[in-house]
Amino acid sequence: MSSCIKLEVQTDDQTPQKWCISLHEDVLKRLLSQQGSPITMHKVFGEGSLFSPLLFGKFFDPSDAFPLWDFDSDTLLYNLRNSGKTTVDWFHTDQAYVLKAPLPGVGKTNIQIHVEKGKIMEISGQVKQQREGKAKDWRSCNWWLYGYVRRLELPEDADCRKIEAFLTNGVVLEIRIPRNPLYFGTLEMKIQQPKISE
């Protein structure tokens, strides 16, 4: 029997500069090659994970916003899918954009979903508690040692006030981003509006 819980999607997260330190490719390689590197790190940042910097074929810092919906998932994930390394998927219908992804090694942690200014959706969570005496916000230091993030640009027609997120069996994340039907009407009006010459 599967269990599905609805996650809260917060729309007021405007913490400035919270992902101020970038995760570079050489840093990731060192992190994953360290003796005694936790298995969780390999699951979270390994090839094929939603939070992997290598998910899109070449290194891309997950703390940078990626325009996910501009790409066909079959094309972008072709190699990883063929080798059975990922089950991340996204698609859109006339009503919504949908993202589905397993959360390897992180499903039972405190996953958070924020929408910044209606333009960026951020999926993040803390895996390991930060030691006392460090910066107050774990996201403002070497965040990859403590947690994970994937930031995605939202499409222009996304209705960010109605985004829903679900976690199935504590492992599979599904995010539904409704499309705003008024967006196309407004766009049509702007196109059809005649220019007034003086």
Side-chain angles (χ1 to χ4, degrees):
M1 188 166 115
S2 67
S3 66
C4 183
I5 60 168
K6 188 171 184 178
L7 302 173
E8 181 183 0
V9 178
Q10 298 177 8
T11 56
D12 58 353
D13 188 36
Q14 297 176 1
T15 311
Q17 300 295 315
K18 63 183 171 185
W19 307 105
C20 58
I21 298 179
S22 293
L23 173 58
H24 296 287
E25 193 166 4
D26 58 328
V27 174
L28 178 69
K29 284 179 183 173
R30 274 199 315 271
L31 179 70
L32 297 181
S33 67
Q34 286 176 354
Q35 284 277 329
S37 179
I39 292 172
T40 303
M41 290 298 188
H42 288 276
K43 288 181 178 177
V44 173
F45 295 112
E47 196 176 18
S49 162
L50 175 64
F51 305 104
S52 170
L54 302 167
L55 180 65
F56 306 121
K58 62 179 184 175
F59 192 90
F60 186 89
D61 187 348
S63 66
D64 289 336
F66 187 83
L68 183 71
W69 321 104
D70 291 349
F71 298 90
D72 174 18
S73 70
D74 290 336
T75 304
L76 198 57
L77 298 178
Y78 179 78
N79 290 332
L80 288 172
R81 285 216 176 116
N82 274 1
S83 61
K85 290 183 179 174
T86 191
T87 53
V88 173
D89 194 20
W90 64 88
F91 57 90
H92 62 88
T93 66
D94 291 342
Q95 290 79 36
Y97 296 91
V98 180
L99 168 67
K100 291 183 180 183
L103 303 178
V106 301
K108 293 180 181 175
T109 63
N110 185 19
I111 189 159
Q112 297 178 337
I113 299 163
H114 296 280
V115 176
E116 291 180 8
K117 301 176 184 173
K119 294 181 181 179
I120 306 289
M121 179 176 65
E122 175 184 290
I123 306 158
S124 67
Q126 192 171 4
V127 176
K128 184 169 83 173
Q129 291 298 316
Q130 193 173 0
R131 290 190 205 123
E132 291 297 321
K134 300 273 184 179
K136 289 182 184 176
D137 189 345
W138 64 272
R139 300 168 300 184
S140 64
C141 58
N142 294 337
W143 53 266
W144 53 88
L145 297 175
Y146 303 98
Y148 53 89
V149 64
R150 171 61 73 194
R151 288 166 51 85
L152 303 169
E153 283 183 29
L154 289 172
E156 287 187 20
D157 63 336
D159 189 343
C160 64
R161 294 165 296 144
K162 295 182 181 174
I163 294 175
E164 293 183 308
F166 303 91
L167 195 58
T168 304
N169 296 332
V171 180
V172 179
L173 175 69
E174 179 175 342
I175 298 177
R176 300 187 65 78
I177 305 165
R179 298 176 86 166
N180 187 345
L182 299 177
Y183 174 81
F184 293 107
T186 307
L187 189 62
E188 251 175 47
M189 283 176 57
K190 282 181 184 175
I191 292 169
Q192 290 175 358
Q193 235 175 17
K195 288 184 179 177
I196 300 169
S197 57
E198 293 181 20

